[in-house]
């Protein structure tokens, strides 16, 4: 009786994933509330409004036909690329970087949207490319340009972390599409060989962060201050943490960027190892669901898009957690669905919305005119 009263499309939604998403977002708001000293402003209230709006947006996106994402892939990529060019010309400057477009009601960071656009564009490219063509070097020129253009523009901002995440999403699609393994082996070797040269092109603060990663104790009060305080906050949390609203590293302002890039350290200080397990379990459920969507999809575009978006989400989570624990250089990547920020929250929810759309239409075997035996 109850099931018959619920619309069929509502019943078909992956409710375990959605409840996990709500739990993670709600926990993030609690951490922001505590980080502000027990106040909803300036972070928790704004973030809560954004989360509610973007959550409804993701549910609405689940009803978008799969063929629409295919048609929109290239226009979306082109539009975001133009916005990145706009950032170079008209972009707002903050914290020494020029990353935002001030649209009046919102400061939009186009590089965040490119993380989604690059996956859609490359998934469309390989959807129409016969499998045998992916083995030919000439077929990879277009993907290299599609990845290289936004990377170069984002590096100019400068934003090394976002540039790397765009490259990661693009390379994952090329790999999953079936490009030669020798390409990745050779590319990895060339990348390692080029590191000493590439370091010379980095900004001074980026070079210091890498050196601090290699030797964390070299400058604990300067370039290594962020990571030193982060590790102190995480370690002082113990098994169950210091308690809600009782974090000393965060409340006494020892921990920098406690509401954005280092929100995991803020959480770990008050909720301890149990809080960390909870957050990791939530991400494991979200990522597991994303990969299951990719495995069940029955056409190339849907499969590549779902796998690429899920790997992109994994990259955000992995790099942020490695960064705050001292296992990776500080590159300024927020923790999805928890860190404060409108563009990052919108990007994560668009990612979830597209995955929901693919999941709803996972039985579609043909879309557009692509090869069916991918």
């Amino acid at each position: 009786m109850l099931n018959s009263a619920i619309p069929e499309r509502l019943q078909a939604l992956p409710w375990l994933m959605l409840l996990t998403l709500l739990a993670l977002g709600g926990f993030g708001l609690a951490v922001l509330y505590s980080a502000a000293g027990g106040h909803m402003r300036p972070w928790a209230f704004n973030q809560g409004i954004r989360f509610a709006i973007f959550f409804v947006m993701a549910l609405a996106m689940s009803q978008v036909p799969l063929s629409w994402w295919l048609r929109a892939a290239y226009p979306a990529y082109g539009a975001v690329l133009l916005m990145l060019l706009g950032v170079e010309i008209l972009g707002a400057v903050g914290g020494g970087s020029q990353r935002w477009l001030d649209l009046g009601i919102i400061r939009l960071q186009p590089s965040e949207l490119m993380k989604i656009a690059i996956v859609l564009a490359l998934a469309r490219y390989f959807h129409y490319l016969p499998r045998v063509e992916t083995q030919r070097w000439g077929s990879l020129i277009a993907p290299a340009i599609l990845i290289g253009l936004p990377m170069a523009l984002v590096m100019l901002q400068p934003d090394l972390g976002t540039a790397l995440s765009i490259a990661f999403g693009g390379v994952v699609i090329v790999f999953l599409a079936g490009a030669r393994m020798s390409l990745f082996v050779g590319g990895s070797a060339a990348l390692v060989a080029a590191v000493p040269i590439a370091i010379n092109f980095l900004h001074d603060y980026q070079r210091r962060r890498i050196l601090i990663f290699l030797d964390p104790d070299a400058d604990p009060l300067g370039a290594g201050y962020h990571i030193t305080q982060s590790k102190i906050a995480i370690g002082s949390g113990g098994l169950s943490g210091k308690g809600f609203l009782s974090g000393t590293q965060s409340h006494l302002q020892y921990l920098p960027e406690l509401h954005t890039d280092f929100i995991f350290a803020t959480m770990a200080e008050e909720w301890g190892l149990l809080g960390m397990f909870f957050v990791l379990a939530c991400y494991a459920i979200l990522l597991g669901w994303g990969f299951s969507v990719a495995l069940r999809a029955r056409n190339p575009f849907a499969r590549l898009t779902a796998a690429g978006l899920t790997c992109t989400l994994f990259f955000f989570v992995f790099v942020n957690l490695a960064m705050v624990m001292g296992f990776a250089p500080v590159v300024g990547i927020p923790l999805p669905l928890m860190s404060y920020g409108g563009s990052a929250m919108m990007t994560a929810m668009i990612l979830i919305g597209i995955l929901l759309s693919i999941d709803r239409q996972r039985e579609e075997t043909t879309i557009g005119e692509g090869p069916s035996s991918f």
Side-chain angles (χ1 to χ4, degrees), residues 99-118:
R99 302 177 182 175
W100 298 270
L101 283 177
D102 193 345
L103 303 180
I105 58 174
I106 186 174
R107 291 183 81 199
L108 185 66
Q109 188 175 348
S111 57
E112 287 288 332
L113 297 176
M114 184 51 79
K115 298 170 183 174
I116 304 292
I118 188 66

Side-chain angles (χ1 to χ4, degrees), residues 341-355:
S343 295
M345 175 66 77
M346 181 173 65
T347 302
M349 285 300 194
I350 290 176
L351 187 153
I352 295 293
I354 296 175
L355 286 174

Side-chain angles (χ1 to χ4, degrees), residues 77-96:
Y77 175 88
V80 179
L81 194 64
L82 286 175
M83 285 194 282
L84 287 175
L85 284 170
V87 169
E88 292 303 312
I89 301 170
L90 305 168
V93 178

Side-chain angles (χ1 to χ4, degrees), residues 208-229 231-232 322-323 325-330:
R208 283 197 299 272
R209 286 177 176 179
I210 293 175
L211 294 175
I212 286 299
F213 165 66
L214 298 174
D215 185 8
D217 298 324
D219 189 9
L221 298 179
Y225 184 77
H226 288 63
I227 192 59
T228 300
Q229 296 301 323
K231 288 193 287 188
I232 291 173
M323 182 180 76
M325 295 180 190
F327 298 123
V330 177

Side-chain angles (χ1 to χ4, degrees), residues 77 81 118 122 138-152:
Y77 175 88
L81 194 64
I118 188 66
L122 287 174
S139 300
L140 301 179
I141 294 175
I145 294 173
L146 288 171
I147 297 171
L149 283 176
M151 265 196 76

Side-chain angles (χ1 to χ4, degrees), residues 17 168 172 176 283-297 302-315 355 358-359:
M17 186 282 292
F168 178 82
V172 162
L176 294 176
Y283 283 122
I285 291 173
L286 293 180
L287 292 170
W289 170 75
F291 284 121
S292 73
V293 171
L295 290 173
R296 288 179 292 159
R303 192 177 308 155
L304 289 174
T305 301
L309 293 179
T310 306
C311 288
T312 299
L313 180 63
F314 169 78
F315 181 83
L355 286 174
I358 295 173
D359 187 40

